[in-house]
Amino acid sequence: MIEATPDIRPLLAVLVSFVAAFLIVASYRSPNVREGWTLVASLAKFGIVASMLPAVLDGAVFEWSAGAFLPGIGAPVEFALRADALGMLFAFLASGLWIITSFYSIGYMRGLDEPNQTRYFAAFAVSLAATMGIAFAGNLVTIFVFYEILSIATYPLVAHDETAEARSAGRKYLAYTMFGGGVLVLAGTALVYLLAGSVDFTAGGIAELANADPGLAMLAFFLLAVGFGVKAGIMPLHQWLPEAMVAPTPVSGLLHAVAVVKSGAFGVSRVVLDVFGPELVYNLSLPFGFTAGLVLSTIGAITLTAASLIALRKDHLKRRLAYSTISQLSYIILGLGLFGWYGLVGALLHIPAHAFMKLTLFFCAGNIHVSTHTDYISQMAGIGKRMPLTMGAFTVASLGMAGIPLLAGFVSKYYMLIGGVRMGMNFTPVAYYLVGALLLSGVLNIAYFWPVIYTAFFEAEDAHDAKPLVDFPLGGESRSIVAATDGGRAGDDAATDGGRAGDDAATDGGREGDDADEDDDDGSDSDDEAVDDIVADADDGDDSAPDAADGVDESDIPDADLDDLPTDEEGVVRPDFAASERDFSEPAERVDTGDYAVDQRPSDADVPFGPGRGDADDRAETADADEAAAEPTESNRGPDDPHGDHDDDPHGGHDADTHDDGHHGGPPAGGWKHIAGLDALRGRESTWFTLGPILASMTLAVLLGVIPYEMGFLELIELIVDTRLPEGVVRP
């Protein structure tokens, strides 16, 4: 074991955020001072951590101890902080990304004029303090304490909106991570102490566990692995993570890239590498030839495949990213179970790789929400011309997540693939199935990210394709739906495609043969004649039907008059699920599953335009005014405009009536305004408080894919693996 050098810097790295939290609360009357403390603390934390990095790369370990506080049957348990190579990997990553996230938080929270910003920044600081404690924890007891502090500190962030949905998500988050995962970690810690008489992290594992009862050692391993795995989102203990997407986007970035889920993956890494050791994890046998490591990898393989398939069906962008996170974190879990140098290096390298890429993706989703109030993929047709930098960064990060070369995701997955093949050749053929899961997941990554990219850059607002992976069951219709319902909101008898002007029918933009033409933004006679035909059929030729010139509001046509369509007590058309009676020559009715634009959220519902939202003439008359309000030009934009398109938006994310663009979600009437590359660089796309962090995190993802060793992460990871594998299993 490497002799540790006493040093107070691991403690300072933890305390700086706690101190900042008090200063943030004390400065609640002055937002600039409050956010200044956030930036100062993030820079100070990163400086403290970075000052230890050169010595740690040379093999040094820094330790601070508060002394023994749990004397027992074995060695006394200390409250100790140790900055070793594995802890430095997580601490260096989290402290660096806090700087980027702090800038982004300022732009996001001010851009939407979010309430309770002081509480938000204070809770964020405490969360980073707990993250540093987890990174530098010297034993299982210390990491458990900070693990629980992190759960408590992030609860106000998850429940930030204070809606019923946000509070429910917060309670579920606590139930899973604190009362579920935390209890399992505590039970596993107690069992390890009973078996080995020590809970100190030791490179290569605690030696006494190798001589303990194999059954109890196996139980202790899975208690700890599953307990930490709850925060890493392993299935079926992942439900808290998609629900937590109700939180503000910077919190989602914190949850998915910087702190919470990474603390879970880091905890599993500590268990495999420093509690049991890779060799013992591989040798702990189960029936049918499985070992503890292979079971861990199998759990990861199942989770990453299932989560990728679920992500295909999510229309809400942040929810799709949430299931992507569950899938990507399982790469780390899978790699940790691969006994060998390549597999472990790939697993640990995927920690920073995923952090950079996923932070970019969530930042892009948040910037889209702040700038256009759009959250659903089905409403993003053509948004690439409105937000070229944001969607360009989203594309780069998506390619990295899929494992495209020259990006961070490729390097880590490449190591894991080689590790799986070598393990299959040298140890057990089961590892070949894990390689297959890795390859399949890469294909699924492309499948659920490509529709976002295609919709943004290759579809027009007024004529976009029907997308089976978004709008229909897998393998479903490839043609448009003429009269799809959106879940039965009052007055809505057509599709929810973002509410483009003149769109009274399908979500495909009125292709040839449909009953509406999306180019008729002024409520043309062809639309009115189509409606009159429906009325004439329903009334059986009633002469009292209004003239075509007068126009008919579709919402006034009672659904009960349409003869054979099933309706509920409110007269809303509902689908008939009796498959034997369905005419399969016609598309099935759409059903609100909670994942579409009809999801009742303050920022996503109540679109004040589109089919059934008012008279077509009224919409046509206000289209130009809405477009002018939605897209300020150089002439009417003030020189001190800090928030791009939303300097006049007092409550951007919460009140549909106060948006300067006059709509909620999807393109405005007349389509997105095209912003050229140079204009985007001048800040016309959105504020640089959000654009800067997006481009910074994207750049880090590219650099880690091109020069991983020069960035320090790969060098650090090689040191970690070399000191934890037995002498017979060395680097190639």
Side-chain angles (χ1 to χ4, degrees), residues 42-89:
S42 63
L43 292 170
K45 183 187 291 291
F46 181 74
I48 294 170
V49 173
S51 69
M52 296 184 283
L53 182 61
V56 171
L57 286 172
D58 290 334
V61 175
F62 300 103
E63 184 177 45
W64 176 88
S65 175
F69 69 98
L70 278 179
I73 60 175
V77 178
E78 296 183 348
F79 188 84
L81 299 173
R82 298 178 76 247
D84 61 358
L86 182 55
M88 183 61 65
L89 171 67

Side-chain angles (χ1 to χ4, degrees), residues 328 331 349-350 353 357 394-415 417 438-439 441-447 449-450 453 698 700-708:
Q328 293 292 326
Y331 281 94
L349 186 59
H350 202 63
M357 295 181 297
F394 188 97
T395 301
V396 171
S398 298
L399 295 175
M401 298 290 279
I404 302 301
L406 301 182
L407 294 169
F410 170 77
V411 182
S412 57
K413 294 180 182 181
Y414 172 78
Y415 274 101
L417 283 172
L438 288 171
L439 294 173
S441 178
V443 175
L444 292 175
N445 271 267
I446 296 174
F449 278 122
W450 172 247
I453 300 169
M698 181 201 70
L700 291 172
V702 174
L703 292 177
L704 189 61
V706 177
I707 50 172

Side-chain angles (χ1 to χ4, degrees), residues 247-288:
T249 299
V251 176
S252 300
L254 170 76
L255 292 174
H256 290 256
V258 182
V260 177
V261 296
K262 284 299 187 302
S263 70
F266 176 78
V268 177
S269 304
R270 279 292 194 192
V271 171
V272 171
L273 299 175
D274 288 352
V275 177
F276 288 84
E279 187 175 19
L280 180 58
V281 170
Y282 177 74
N283 290 330
L284 283 175
S285 297
L286 286 170
F288 306 107

Side-chain angles (χ1 to χ4, degrees), residues 677-693:
L678 290 178
D679 288 335
L681 291 174
R682 295 189 186 103
R684 297 298 175 254
E685 179 176 324
S686 66
T687 173
W688 272 101
F689 268 104
T690 54
L691 273 180

